[in-house]
Each structure stands twice: as C-alpha cells, then as structure tokens.
Amino acid sequence: MRTVDVVVVGAGLAGLRTARLLALRELDVMVVDRRRSLSAGIRTTGIFVRRTLEDFDLPDQLLGPGVRDVLLYPPSRRAPIRLTSERDEYRVADMAAVYEHARRAAESAGARVFLGVRYVGASMGLVQFAGAEPVRARFIVGADGARSRVARDLGLDVNRRFLVGAEIVHPVASGTTTPAFHCVLDPRVAPGYLGWVIDDGRHAHVGVAGYPGAMRSGVRHLLDSFAADAPGRAAPTGPVERRGGPIPVGGVLRRLACPAGLLVGDAAGAVSPLTAGGLDPCLRMSELAAAVAAGYLRTGDQRMLSLYDGGALRSRFRGRLLLRRAFAGIRSRAAAEAAVAVLRGRAGRVLAARILFGDGSFPGVDPQLVDAAIAGGDAVRPV
C-alpha cells in the first residue's frame, strides 16, 4: 500500500496551492478530486480584488480587464449609486484556466494530482477512495468545499450558516460595454445578499445569492427572473454556462486542525462573512496551512497546530459578522430601499467605498514568521 506524507482532498484553488507549498517543502503530496476535469463544477464567479492581485502572482493573461465602477441599486432599480475608484479594483478570472495553472504549478513542485478519484473516508491514517486504491497518509488536508466530508471525519468544526448562489456566465461583444460591477439589493430575488452583474467587457456574470430558506421558488428560478432584466447585462454572444453552490458565511471555523489533518478554503469557512468573497481568504490561509502542516510533520510537536487558530482569525471579523447579521435582516423591499437611501448620504458612501475599495483584506500570517517560530521551537499564535 502506498504511503504519502499528505493527502489533499479537493483540487480547487485552496487545495492546489496548499499542495504546491507542501511539495516545495519536500513533502510527498497527493491531491485527489472527484471531478474528471477542473473545468467542471466551477462554483465561484472568479472575482479577484485588488489586494489579492497586489499580493499574489496571478498570470495576467488569465484575468479580464480591470473594473473600477460599482453601481448599487435599490429594488426599484432606479437612480443607482455610482462609486468609482481611481484604481482597478476587480478583475474576473478564467477560473478553469486558473485551476489548470495551479495544477501545473503543484505538479511542477512535485505533488501528484489525480482527478476522477472520490474521497470516501479516513481512519487511523488509512485514506479510502472510490476509483483508486487506498493509501496511508501522515496528514490530510480538507479542501473539499463548504460541506466538507474531511471535516466530519477528522472531528473538526463544520460550516452551519450558508447562502446558496447561482449564476450564468457568457461572452459579450468586445468593446460594446464599459466594465462595471452592478449590485442589486432586492430581497425578493436575493434575500440576505445581492443580485449582481459584473461585466468586464469580455464576459458577463449574472447571479443571485441568498438564504435558501427564504428562496421559496428556488435559486434557479430566481436567477432566471433576475437575469431577464438585470441592469447592465449585455446580450450573450456565445454559449451560456451555469454555476452554483453553497457559500459559507458564518466566518472562519474555530477548530481547524488536529493531529490527523486540517482544513483550508471553504471547508475552513474562509469566506468573508459580509461580501461572501472566498478567493483572497483561500490564498492567504493556504500559505499559513502549508507552513503549519510542514512544521508539524517535521517536528511531531502538536503545539505547532495551535498556530492554525481559527479563533484568532475569527476575532478580527467581529465587525463584518455584525454587518452580516444586519444584511441578513433586510427582508422587505421597503427596508432595502431605506438601506440604499442611507448609503446615498456622505457617510454612507464613505462606508460603501471602504467595504468595496478598502485596502483591508482577509487577515493572515506571514508564513516565513511561522517557519521561523517552528524552527525555533516556539508555539505562537497568529498576529
């Protein structure tokens, strides 16, 4: 039976990046994903914010043009609030190509990636699959999404608060639209969240998300209804793709690691509780996760796992968690119209611009500091 240092379950951005960083630390890493193609089952819009683009080396050719304008609409869709940045704040990625790039990077570092292999379970270091022989692993990384099976098998925390989202993606005629991000606050189609259109002049993403219990007619029906007259949507010039899935919005989980493994990405609740963005968090937490896992496997000291502390990260999100609760409470058209009216004022526009264009990002830890702490034998907490 094959023995490996680490099995990473899930070949999304978090799983592939963690695998690459572990392999670069000279660990024997195996990645499995039940999908047969990384272009199948994409569940993210692929919006990268400026801070992520500044801090991480993403291939420019895989990113669409910069988006500087955000328009906020009330349910009536009349008189949107326009916020304009002096910098490119958003770029939408070709996520299938981003995943393939991340796969090649992981394999170049020495990780082995197996698609069409479904994780079944793990116990006492034995990891079982459907579609492949079992392996023995010293450590498991759960990068298997919002409803992580790995989290349950390892006895770690699991996500319990979700939005459900769906979107359609299609090409648009080049040069016919100005890149913009249209956000509609309308609890009839997106209870607790937004309807959106982001058009970067190449592709349009049209979506809705909300609390599933309040989406009585179903997310797909609400998406089709919204898309029929969504503001800023250009006509498709090619095939229309559908995406969708759960979005954890309860904040980073507290118990993320144990001697058998740890969680990254959506499995760890690494999604902004306010904006529901998960790409920046998954990149930042993957660096920390890889440094901690490698340190633990090198030393065998379980104190190393305390570096991967969900409680410490969660404490920095008290304000956003409170705003998430306030957002969730907007359940009528009148309340939504009033919320947008508040944002029209000077203070409201400053708050909106800070959320949409601010320099803050998901908190993380410099992995070099973690490595230094591990090398020195000190167990420290994230700062």
Side-chain angles (χ1 to χ4, degrees):
M1 185 180 297
R2 175 182 293 174
T3 298
V4 299
D5 292 319
V6 183
V7 168
V8 178
V9 181
L13 195 56
L16 290 168
R17 183 170 181 83
T18 305
R20 173 180 175 270
L21 295 172
L22 288 168
L24 287 173
R25 288 172 165 85
E26 300 183 347
L27 292 168
D28 184 5
V29 182
M30 174 182 179
V31 183
V32 298
D33 195 295
R34 64 182 179 179
R35 296 175 295 166
R36 296 186 180 277
S37 168
L38 295 181
S39 63
I42 295 174
R43 294 188 172 185
T44 175
T45 298
I47 301 173
F48 285 91
V49 298
R50 173 175 49 79
R51 182 67 182 273
T52 314
L53 298 171
E54 291 173 348
D55 290 351
F56 296 94
D57 185 19
L58 295 167
D60 190 73
Q61 70 273 17
L62 305 183
L63 301 167
V67 177
R68 299 187 175 194
D69 289 326
V70 176
L71 289 87
L72 304 175
Y73 295 79
S76 65
R77 318 280 176 90
R78 300 191 184 98
I81 303 168
R82 179 182 288 271
L83 300 171
T84 301
S85 173
E86 296 180 351
R87 301 172 290 188
D88 291 343
E89 296 290 346
Y90 306 99
R91 295 182 71 180
V92 185
D94 177 347
M95 287 308 298
V98 167
Y99 290 146
E100 190 56 42
H101 173 82
R103 175 187 179 177
R104 291 194 300 269
E107 291 177 332
S108 295
R112 289 165 292 169
V113 180
F114 299 92
L115 302 182
V117 175
R118 181 170 60 86
Y119 168 83
V120 173
S123 177
M124 304 296 290
L126 181 65
V127 187
Q128 296 183 319
F129 311 104
E133 294 296 319
V135 301
R136 291 200 176 278
R138 298 172 61 197
F139 205 71
I140 302 173
V141 172
D144 53 334
R147 295 190 173 98
S148 171
R149 174 69 182 271
V150 173
R152 297 181 186 278
D153 289 346
L154 298 184
L156 298 174
D157 286 352
V158 296
N159 294 299
R160 300 191 182 281
R161 296 184 63 194
F162 298 94
L163 301 175
V164 61
E167 74 169 10
I168 55 177
V169 184
H170 59 76
V172 297
S174 178
T176 60
T177 59
T178 300
F181 194 174
H182 303 263
C183 301
V184 180
L185 184 60
D186 187 346
R188 295 172 304 176
V189 297
Y193 193 60
L194 298 167
W196 67 87
V197 176
I198 185 162
D199 180 343
D200 63 9
R202 296 180 184 176
H203 290 83
H205 293 249
V206 184
V208 298
Y211 289 102
M215 295 177 130
R216 294 184 178 85
S217 58
V219 66
R220 181 161 183 163
H221 173 79
L222 291 173
L223 171 60
D224 291 340
S225 175
F226 175 71
D229 62 351
R233 183 189 179 190
T237 59
V240 175
E241 173 192 352
R242 285 186 176 266
R243 301 177 180 178
I247 308 167
V249 290
V252 181
L253 300 175
R254 289 181 172 83
R255 189 162 184 258
L256 297 175
C258 68
L262 56 73
L263 308 175
V264 293
D266 283 8
V271 174
S272 171
L274 178 59
T275 65
L279 294 175
D280 183 83
C282 88
L283 291 172
R284 296 184 192 279
M285 282 193 72
S286 294
E287 294 205 337
L288 176 58
V292 168
Y296 167 64
L297 291 171
R298 185 167 67 246
T299 65
D301 186 349
Q302 293 187 19
R303 292 179 301 166
M304 300 294 106
L305 300 174
S306 68
L307 292 160
Y308 200 60
D309 183 1
L313 291 171
R314 188 181 178 86
S315 67
R316 306 186 194 185
F317 278 88
R318 291 192 183 99
R320 295 184 189 186
L321 285 166
L322 287 172
L323 286 172
R324 160 52 41 200
R325 295 190 186 100
F327 208 168
I330 301 175
R331 294 298 180 93
S332 71
R333 291 193 68 191
E337 292 280 355
V340 175
V342 168
L343 295 177
R344 293 188 190 280
R346 182 176 179 181
R349 292 177 70 91
V350 169
L351 174 63
R354 182 175 180 181
I355 293 171
L356 294 166
F357 303 150
D359 288 328
S361 68
F362 193 89
V365 174
D366 185 339
Q368 293 181 346
L369 297 179
V370 176
D371 286 338
I374 290 170
D378 298 323
V380 298
R381 292 188 176 274
V383 294

